[in-house]
Amino acid sequence: MPVGYALDSAQLPAGVANAMAQGASPQAVAEYRRKLAEYQEARAAFDQEAGAYWDAISEKRKIRNAKRRDRQQITLNDYVLEQAPLYEGPKRPVNPEPEDPRVRKDLPVVADFLAAAREQFQFVPQRPANEMEFKRAYARAALQAGLTRDIAVRVYSFETGGNGGHDMQSGLNPSRPGSRAISTAIGYNQLLTANTTTLVAEQGPQILKVLTEKASVLSGPQRKAMDHKIAVFKRMQATVRTVPQNWSALEKLGTTPQGWAMHALVLDMDIGPQLQVHKLLTSVNFARARGFDRPLSAAELEMMNLTGDGNGFDMVTMPQAMREQVPTANFFQRGGYERNPVAIRHNTVAKLLAVTNARMDSNSNLPGAKELAAAF
């Protein structure tokens, strides 16, 4: 905009007009409008380019899925081999005085899950006397399910940084004041609320069997407490059956007070280890059901956890030569990829697996990981 251009506030967007009314200078408003136009133009051009790229990613994925169903060989031509475009234009400018500043909505945290459990199901999880007690319970559940110590410890090392507790929530760090939750992920394998509601729906009968077997050898107050826990879990099972049995519906349930209440199960000494173990077993069984006979490595299992079982299985079954060439973008949705600096920086399957293994190696030497290893 030329210097000295006269601004008519009636022609301005409401936020900008308000900024002027609140004292922002005409020069500041003009500069904001100029930078905003530059940003919008650059962003529109990028979105057009990126949209075409991610449409191609989606189409190639459909082709691979169809070929896999028909037992046809997957080749390099079935992947997008160019790296994903990344926005490198100007940043969105800050309005001098925004009319309606965006209020950041905090994610629910452990205290919210515990409160919801009390209110919705009259349930208080049985917490461990110390972290080692929970690790022993987790180790027993893992071994009974056929998971090795190496798998359990390396996944724990990656997911928690090698020192996380059973109630660790993603983004929260007790030693860092002001830290905020960045997701609802909790525990050794960082289960989201959607993971918990899905596991209650899919693995509920097996978990209920474990609880019933434990109850059979208890008596007195311990038996009474376990019977109450079983009754609560049955009510939670009934709740998940009130929604369609698919990921989208169960994910939505996880955002409700009832879903928050179920997420408190992750903290329970009897149920929490079962949920954590079944999260890993889901991926193991997914691979086995598709004829994948060799054991998954911890890094491969993490790929299935990170990108979803279908995309992860695609990566796991890929020959090494292809892993060196195929971009990681092929296994993500656009939003998830653009928010994942690790996948962007280590931008082929081989590189992503390598950095995952390296992080597991390093974090396995930390105290929390060593304690978990000793629990086996």
Side-chain angles (χ1 to χ4, degrees), residues 151-218:
I151 288 284
V153 172
R154 289 177 70 78
V155 170
Y156 163 90
S157 298
F158 185 85
E159 290 286 353
T160 72
N163 264 329
H166 74 287
D167 57 355
M168 172 186 174
Q169 184 166 354
S170 181
L172 289 178
N173 186 339
S175 65
R176 194 173 71 241
S179 63
R180 306 171 72 114
I182 60 174
S183 82
T184 60
I186 294 178
Y188 297 168
N189 297 330
Q190 290 289 280
L191 270 65
L192 299 162
T193 52
N195 295 133
T196 299
T197 53
T198 301
L199 287 167
V200 171
E202 296 177 352
Q203 305 299 329
Q206 178 61 32
I207 294 173
L208 191 59
K209 179 183 177 183
V210 171
L211 296 179
T212 303
E213 289 174 353
K214 286 186 176 184
S216 67
V217 297
L218 298 176

Side-chain angles (χ1 to χ4, degrees), residues 109-308:
V109 295
V110 168
D112 299 310
F113 304 135
L114 292 171
R118 289 192 299 270
E119 294 165 4
Q120 299 293 320
F121 294 98
Q122 298 73 55
F123 174 63
V124 178
Q126 178 189 349
R127 306 293 291 276
N130 53 60
E131 197 61 37
M132 195 63 192
E133 185 180 11
F134 199 95
K135 285 177 176 173
R136 291 191 186 99
Y138 176 68
R140 286 194 298 272
L143 289 172
Q144 289 168 1
L147 294 174
T148 66
R149 179 178 69 173
D150 182 70
I151 288 284
V153 172
R154 289 177 70 78
V155 170
Y156 163 90
S157 298
F158 185 85
E159 290 286 353
T160 72
N163 264 329
H166 74 287
D167 57 355
M168 172 186 174
Q169 184 166 354
S170 181
L172 289 178
N173 186 339
S175 65
R176 194 173 71 241
S179 63
R180 306 171 72 114
I182 60 174
S183 82
T184 60
I186 294 178
Y188 297 168
N189 297 330
Q190 290 289 280
L191 270 65
L192 299 162
T193 52
N195 295 133
T196 299
T197 53
T198 301
L199 287 167
V200 171
E202 296 177 352
Q203 305 299 329
Q206 178 61 32
I207 294 173
L208 191 59
K209 179 183 177 183
V210 171
L211 296 179
T212 303
E213 289 174 353
K214 286 186 176 184
S216 67
V217 297
L218 298 176
S219 60
Q222 288 183 320
R223 176 60 184 263
K224 183 177 180 181
M226 183 61 77
D227 285 344
H228 174 68
K229 188 180 297 188
I230 290 172
V232 166
F233 191 77
K234 287 180 177 179
R235 286 167 56 204
M236 290 181 176
Q237 282 185 288
T239 299
V240 297
R241 287 196 290 266
T242 65
V243 303
Q245 301 299 282
N246 58 59
W247 173 263
S248 178
L250 291 165
E251 181 181 35
K252 186 176 180 180
L253 176 61
T255 66
T256 68
Q258 289 177 317
W260 293 7
M262 292 180 206
H263 205 37
L265 292 171
V266 179
L267 309 173
D268 183 78
M269 279 287 297
D270 295 308
I271 302 176
Q274 294 293 323
L275 292 171
Q276 299 279 0
V277 165
H278 278 294
K279 176 63 176 68
L280 298 183
L281 282 179
T282 297
S283 297
V284 171
N285 293 335
F286 183 95
R288 285 176 181 167
R290 284 153 183 78
F292 192 79
D293 295 328
R294 73 166 175 81
L296 291 164
S297 72
E300 290 173 335
L301 193 56
E302 189 57 45
M303 290 303 100
M304 297 181 75
N305 187 36
L306 175 67
T307 64

Side-chain angles (χ1 to χ4, degrees), residues 69-82:
R69 284 193 301 270
D70 295 338
R71 300 184 182 278
Q72 296 179 20
Q73 184 176 359
I74 307 295
T75 69
L76 273 177
N77 289 332
D78 297 318
Y79 297 91
V80 175
L81 299 181
E82 297 79 23

Side-chain angles (χ1 to χ4, degrees), residues 54 83-88 306 327-329 332-348 351-352 355:
W54 289 100
Q83 292 294 341
L86 299 174
Y87 180 71
E88 297 177 345
L306 175 67
T328 55
F332 288 84
Q333 300 298 321
R334 177 181 173 181
Y337 182 81
E338 292 179 348
R339 291 191 300 270
N340 192 322
V342 176
I344 292 172
R345 190 160 52 248
H346 305 278
N347 57 12
T348 66
K351 289 179 181 178
L352 188 57
V355 73

